[in-house]
Amino acid sequence: MMRTRPLKVALLGCGVVGSEVARIMTTHADDLAARIGAPVELAGVAVRRPSKVREGIDPALVTTDATALVKRGDIDVVVEVIGGIEPARSLITAAFEHGASVVSANKALLAQDGAALHAVAEQQGKDLYYEAAVAGAIPLIRPLRESLAGDKVNRVLGIVNGTTNFILDKMDSTGAGYQEALDEATALGYAEADPTADVEGFDAAAKAAILAGIAFHTRVRLDDVYREGMTEVTASDFASARNMGCTIKLLAICERAEDGGSVTARVHPAMIPLSHPLASVRGAYNAVFVESDASGQLMFYGPGAGGAPTASAVLGDLVAVCRNRLNSTTGPGESAYAALPVSGMGQVVTRYHISLDVADKPGVLAQVATVFAEHGVSIDTVRQQGKDGEASLVVVTHRASDAALTGTVEALRKLDTVRGVASIMRVEGE
């Protein structure tokens, strides 16, 4: 039997995502009511520019006083899609304290202060859901914290930023340089006017922190995530990748140590074999590869950004939270019981592709190989091309720690025969 009194929803933010949330709530009102067991009513919309015309939204619902909206006391669920740290953090906290549950798409806030927000939600007996904070429309948060709750996740490897994937895919498929590919992404609306958060890996790092925390039942903050942008990736890097049967992706990688005693989270460009499922992810799409003990390998794929796809994830959370509200219960909160230490990048073990500019003369390769051996880094393959006294030496290693590789590179730079280190790139996904 359906309850006739509606559940009231406050919407914070009415931009690309917020306007789609409002539209779907209106156009799918009957279906949402049937799925929830009660109608949902948009009770207020907090915005910065109230004079802007917002199609399908009653102007009487629009306010610039977000604080007053979340403190009304009759609001059942607050949907936060304004982003950033403040005022979002204060508004979400106030919502909990005044009786509302929260659905958020705010990856930056959750990566930085997720533990504190979960604590307030639990104290107040309210829900905090955030499927839309990672990978847009792709169902990922709920499978990790619910569907795989009985399994042990060992690794999460993914493309979680559509802008960077579009740029790298364009560089790979057309031979375009980084700036040319970025300009096209900007023209098509995939990249912001200031693309720093995307291309320098900040966006992906926030998502990696959230994924690692859920996957490993451990608190992982944004500061724990190693981050390396992709602005230095060149056409030469793609040529080298093709020679190895690889392509290049900006990856978020969260994994347990082999002994299970710690975890790491990192974001950086990496070569990945063309045979790996992530290699075929094109354009602005996202995909996340999950490896666990019982279920093996799982892949989640789909549009990772955009108004409608992200709104789809928000509405999925809204339905779940409203159902909990009707049943006077809450869903899963923070699970950080494992409390594993988060190791630094120096402990990460992987393969490396190193391109060196060297003198083209006898004995150079032997010198380079000796340095690798002295630092305990095993060489898999070597390729050398030389002309007019100069040469390019490409070394691909077996698995080695980041600390060992760093020591190796420092020693190589001291060799008289090494003119410079052209590039260093990790090789993942094997």
Side-chain angles (χ1 to χ4, degrees), residues 107 111 133-134 158-162 164 196-212 222 225-228 250-254 265-268 286:
K107 55 188 171 288
V134 180
I159 298 164
V160 295
N161 183 279
T164 55
T196 302
D198 294 323
V199 300
E200 294 295 351
F202 290 101
D203 174 87
K207 295 171 180 176
I210 295 170
L211 290 173
L222 181 58
V225 182
Y226 172 84
R227 177 194 55 80
E228 185 181 318
L250 184 75
L251 298 178
I253 305 170
C254 314
R266 51 196 166 105
V267 169
H268 53 72
N286 284 190

Side-chain angles (χ1 to χ4, degrees), residues 105-413:
N106 195 331
K107 55 188 171 288
L109 177 59
L110 290 160
Q112 178 173 306
D113 291 319
L117 293 176
H118 272 294
V120 178
E122 182 177 0
Q123 182 182 27
Q124 300 296 327
K126 300 297 180 288
D127 274 323
L128 173 60
Y129 275 47
Y130 42 91
E131 183 67 65
V134 180
I138 304 173
L140 185 59
I141 300 296
R142 192 171 288 114
L144 279 174
R145 72 177 184 179
E146 296 182 34
S147 303
L148 296 175
D151 205 344
K152 179 184 177 184
V153 176
N154 295 310
R155 197 171 197 233
V156 180
L157 173 77
I159 298 164
V160 295
N161 183 279
T163 300
T164 55
N165 199 59
F166 177 88
I167 293 170
L168 292 173
D169 181 41
K170 185 62 62 174
M171 292 175 69
D172 188 22
S173 60
T174 69
Y178 166 75
Q179 189 61 49
E180 182 184 352
L182 172 60
D183 290 343
E184 182 172 351
T186 304
L188 292 172
Y190 292 130
E192 301 287 346
D194 180 1
T196 302
D198 294 323
V199 300
E200 294 295 351
F202 290 101
D203 174 87
K207 295 171 180 176
I210 295 170
L211 290 173
I214 296 170
F216 307 132
H217 305 278
T218 292
R219 287 180 178 171
V220 179
R221 288 171 50 88
L222 181 58
D223 292 344
D224 295 322
V225 182
Y226 172 84
R227 177 194 55 80
E228 185 181 318
M230 47 151 285
T231 57
E232 301 301 318
V233 176
T234 66
S236 295
D237 292 325
F238 274 102
S240 294
R242 282 190 289 273
N243 286 333
M244 290 179 59
C246 293
T247 187
I248 299 172
K249 300 291 186 182
L250 184 75
L251 298 178
I253 305 170
C254 314
E255 57 191 351
R256 294 180 189 268
E258 291 184 1
D259 64 4
S262 64
V263 299
T264 57
R266 51 196 166 105
V267 169
H268 53 72
M271 294 182 181
I272 189 167
L274 294 175
S275 58
H276 194 282
L278 291 178
S280 62
V281 178
R282 311 302 297 270
Y285 274 70
N286 284 190
V288 177
F289 204 70
V290 177
E291 301 174 10
S292 63
D293 276 0
S295 57
Q297 298 178 330
L298 305 170
M299 181 163 156
F300 301 83
Y301 170 84
T310 305
S312 170
V314 170
L315 267 295
D317 279 351
L318 180 63
V319 168
V321 170
C322 285
R323 286 172 176 168
N324 291 342
R325 192 86 173 182
L326 287 180
N327 293 323
S328 299
T329 188
T330 56
E334 182 190 30
S335 176
Y337 74 90
L340 295 170
V342 183
S343 297
M345 191 63 186
Q347 307 305 309
V348 169
V349 176
T350 188
R351 298 178 68 205
Y352 291 87
H353 176 284
I354 305 103
S355 180
L356 304 172
D357 294 326
V358 300
D360 187 15
K361 61 183 184 180
V364 173
L365 180 56
Q367 286 184 326
V368 169
T370 298
V371 170
F372 275 87
E374 289 174 346
H375 288 80
V377 179
S378 175
I379 294 176
D380 182 17
T381 62
V382 178
R383 187 175 71 255
Q384 182 173 357
Q385 292 179 321
K387 184 178 180 181
D388 299 327
E390 298 296 330
S392 173
L393 188 65
V394 175
V395 178
V396 179
T397 74
H398 288 292
R399 287 169 58 83
S401 72
D402 187 83
L405 196 282
T406 299
T408 302
V409 172
E410 290 176 355
L412 288 170
R413 294 183 191 276

Side-chain angles (χ1 to χ4, degrees), residues 3 5-13 18 21-22 24-26 32 36 38-46 57 61-63 69-70 72-81 95 99-104 314-315 317-323 325:
R3 191 181 82 165
R5 183 173 70 81
L7 292 159
K8 294 188 176 183
V9 178
L11 179 61
L12 307 183
V21 170
I24 295 172
M25 284 185 64
T26 301
L32 290 173
I36 292 169
V40 287
E41 172 189 316
L42 189 59
V45 182
I57 297 177
L61 297 177
V62 177
T63 179
L69 178 59
V70 301
R72 272 176 37 175
D74 65 334
I75 300 297
D76 293 288
V77 184
V78 169
V79 174
E80 182 271 310
V81 288
S101 290
V102 173
V103 172
S104 176
V314 170
L315 267 295
D317 279 351
L318 180 63
V319 168
V321 170
C322 285
R323 286 172 176 168
R325 192 86 173 182

